[in-house]
Amino acid sequence: MATLGGALLLVVLTLVPHVGQVRNGARRWLPLGFVSFEPSEILKPAFALYLARSLHRKQGRMESFSFGV
């Protein structure tokens, strides 16, 4: 959960003026000195890991269709 929270915080930081960089008309980049990166690229695997962990923890209850959906 901490990884997902940290990744979400980085994505939100892109919206803060003077923190997120605008490239090609989109504010998606965070500068780290000599290099910039897109926090959404960290969010993708973090969300996949969170979802996998959540589904694993609920595995026994997922057998019922109404709870699984």
Side-chain angles (χ1 to χ4, degrees):
M1 182 69 176
T3 305
L4 181 64
L8 283 172
L9 179 65
L10 289 174
V11 170
V12 169
L13 276 177
T14 61
L15 302 174
V16 176
H18 305 295
V19 176
Q21 283 185 341
V22 176
R23 290 200 181 165
N24 297 327
R27 182 182 301 270
R28 297 183 187 144
W29 297 83
L30 286 179
L32 290 178
F34 61 91
V35 70
S36 297
F37 76 101
E38 280 187 278
S40 63
E41 296 302 320
I42 295 173
L43 184 62
K44 292 173 190 176
F47 182 71
L49 290 173
Y50 169 76
L51 187 60
R53 180 178 179 225
S54 177
L55 291 174
H56 177 73
R57 290 174 63 200
K58 297 174 184 175
Q59 185 176 7
R61 294 181 284 172
M62 296 293 284
E63 292 174 0
S64 113
F65 180 77
S66 61
F67 185 81
V69 173

